[in-house]
Amino acid sequence: MTPADDIISVEPESDAELAFEGALRPQSLAEFVGQQKVRGQLQLLLQAASMQGRTADHILFAGPPGLGKTTLAMIVAHESGRPLRMSSGPAIQHAGDLAAVLSSLVPGEVLFIDEIHRMARSAEEMLYLAMEDFRIDIMVGKGAGATSIPLDLAPFTLVGATTRSGMLPNPLRDRFGFTAHLEFYESSELEQVLVRAAHMLQLDIERPALAEIAGRSRGTPRIANRLLRRVRDYAIVTGKGAGIDAVNAALELYDVDELGLDRLDRAVMNIVLNRFDGGPVGLNTLAVSVGEEAETIEAVVEPFLVRIGLLIRTPRGRVATREAWKHFGLTKHEAGTHNQPLFGDEL
Ligand SMILES: Nc1ncnc2c1ncn2[C@@H]1O[C@H](COP(=O)(O)OP(=O)(O)OP(=O)(O)O)[C@@H](O)[C@H]1O
């Protein structure tokens, strides 16, 4: 078993979770918790477009998974009273896939492309023209006889979401009128998200218990909601209610520590601290060592470890901070001495 097999993943884990997420999504900017700056910027952009009776500029949401990019895309459509079409980068593997979507948009429609950095290159090029001029060129035939037929599109607003904005080519990035970088949430904000979720789950849970869950949720609403459901399960099974003891016991069971680090976070830190004596360690070495994709380490694990001050990125690789040594109760080893692994011995 790799350490990644039983982590509390940051992606939706099941259809039931997807349905629950759907029910929990705030419908308006006013209901959306946190990201205050982005909310203000979006509000202005949407209001200006509505006052001028035009489609809003294209919008890019960038940031780690579970921070609300899809939710905000839905809010953009809802607040501007436009229909929403949802697609994703992996589903657009040929320019033809994109042409089919674009040519069927109704005027003013909001097109949401999740994981837009994973779209095929040929489709990206088609998208440049579509975003700028609401027009695409469709290639007909092959070789010397190939011709391109221009096709006018209905005006639309593209909303892209990406966990890796650095992977987007500049011409694509530049065509978004507004790019919002979503930040991890403060605990107090996650507590508000949890109050709403507990209400929807009809879960009678004490406020300090919610605060404890919020503090261990990696700054991420999706994780907060998921941990709440695990605490709910624990409360149901033990019949002892959902207090702070239930939170501590349930989260210990799921290997979520007091900083919110899960097994993959700890596996990464274990490699950096124990195997490389604090680093620097290259991303690919790190990924191979923990049996995960480099993309997952870079987009999901690292941003949080950097944000809480356990890891820094340097041109030579990832380096553990003094805080990291302290948190795990370790010391940089002298020649011939070794620290214990942070968990088990599967590494
Ligand atoms: N600001 C928020 N207020 C309340 N709930 C939120 C907020 N942001 C996210 N959520 C909830 O967290 C869950 C995940 O959000 P969402 O799917 O929008 O994240 P995402 O950034 O699109 O993730 P991914 O990159 O994996 O698609 C949803 O249930 C959503 O309702």
Side-chain angles (χ1 to χ4, degrees), residues 157-343:
T157 297
L158 176 67
V159 179
T162 181
T163 49
R164 305 190 73 197
S165 59
M167 275 187 68
L168 288 185
N170 284 336
L172 180 55
R173 220 173 333 170
D174 292 347
R175 282 169 169 81
F176 287 98
F178 170 53
T179 296
H181 291 275
L182 300 193
E183 304 291 342
F184 287 109
Y185 291 69
E186 299 297 331
S187 287
S188 56
E189 294 167 343
L190 291 179
E191 222 178 300
Q192 289 178 54
V193 171
L194 285 168
V195 167
R196 184 159 173 264
H199 180 72
M200 293 189 68
L201 285 172
Q202 298 181 324
L203 177 65
D204 188 12
I205 180 165
E206 297 162 14
R207 200 64 193 235
L210 288 183
E212 185 64 27
I213 299 174
R216 297 206 206 181
S217 298
R218 292 177 105 260
T220 307
R222 173 176 293 137
I223 297 184
N225 287 337
R226 182 175 304 156
L227 296 183
L228 180 69
R229 289 190 304 146
R230 299 293 75 81
V231 171
R232 183 243 357 231
D233 295 348
Y234 190 89
I236 289 174
V237 171
T238 60
K240 290 186 187 158
I244 195 90
D245 291 344
V247 171
N248 286 332
L251 299 195
E252 192 181 331
L253 195 62
Y254 285 95
D255 280 325
V256 177
D257 76 7
E258 65 280 8
L259 283 183
L261 302 187
D262 60 25
R263 286 181 62 85
L264 185 55
D265 296 319
R266 283 199 295 276
V268 166
M269 291 311 302
N270 189 24
I271 296 292
V272 179
L273 291 166
N274 278 320
R275 199 174 292 172
F276 291 89
D277 202 25
V281 195
L283 175 64
N284 289 328
T285 309
L286 208 47
V288 170
S289 306
V290 296
E292 255 301 340
E293 301 279 327
E295 187 177 334
T296 306
I297 304 294
E298 197 177 23
V300 179
V301 179
E302 271 186 5
F304 183 67
L305 294 176
V306 169
R307 137 100 193 235
I308 60 172
L310 296 187
L311 199 68
I312 45 176
R313 296 183 197 201
T314 73
R316 291 169 54 223
R318 280 62 182 165
V319 178
T321 61
R322 195 176 306 174
E323 202 47 50
W325 290 101
K326 207 163 108 200
H327 177 70
F328 291 107
L330 301 173
T331 44
K332 240 171 151 34
H333 78 257
E334 311 291 327
T337 64
H338 289 274
N339 286 306
Q340 292 298 311
L342 301 183
F343 60 88

Side-chain angles (χ1 to χ4, degrees), residues 10-12 17-18 20-26 31-35 39 63-74 112 114-115 161-163 182 185 189 192-194 196 220-223 225:
V10 86
E11 305 294 340
E17 174 155 11
L18 272 178
F20 179 64
E21 279 197 353
L24 275 185
R25 282 185 205 285
E31 278 178 283
F32 192 87
V33 176
Q35 312 292 345
R39 273 193 293 143
L67 298 191
K69 298 183 292 296
T70 305
T71 306
L72 282 172
M74 291 176 166
F112 174 57
D114 200 5
E115 297 186 80
T162 181
T163 49
L182 300 193
Y185 291 69
E189 294 167 343
Q192 289 178 54
V193 171
L194 285 168
R196 184 159 173 264
T220 307
R222 173 176 293 137
I223 297 184
N225 287 337

Side-chain angles (χ1 to χ4, degrees), residues 15-86:
D15 289 348
E17 174 155 11
L18 272 178
F20 179 64
E21 279 197 353
L24 275 185
R25 282 185 205 285
Q27 306 278 313
S28 64
L29 279 177
E31 278 178 283
F32 192 87
V33 176
Q35 312 292 345
Q36 205 176 342
K37 182 132 200 207
V38 167
R39 273 193 293 143
Q41 292 164 329
L42 269 180
Q43 180 88 56
L44 187 73
L45 184 144
L46 296 178
Q47 202 170 333
S50 135
M51 286 169 75
Q52 293 182 306
R54 58 173 170 80
T55 55
D57 277 2
H58 306 302
I59 301 165
L60 180 65
F61 293 121
L67 298 191
K69 298 183 292 296
T70 305
T71 306
L72 282 172
M74 291 176 166
I75 289 176
V76 165
H78 190 254
E79 295 251 326
S80 43
R82 313 276 188 173
L84 175 71
R85 182 84 60 97
M86 299 187 74

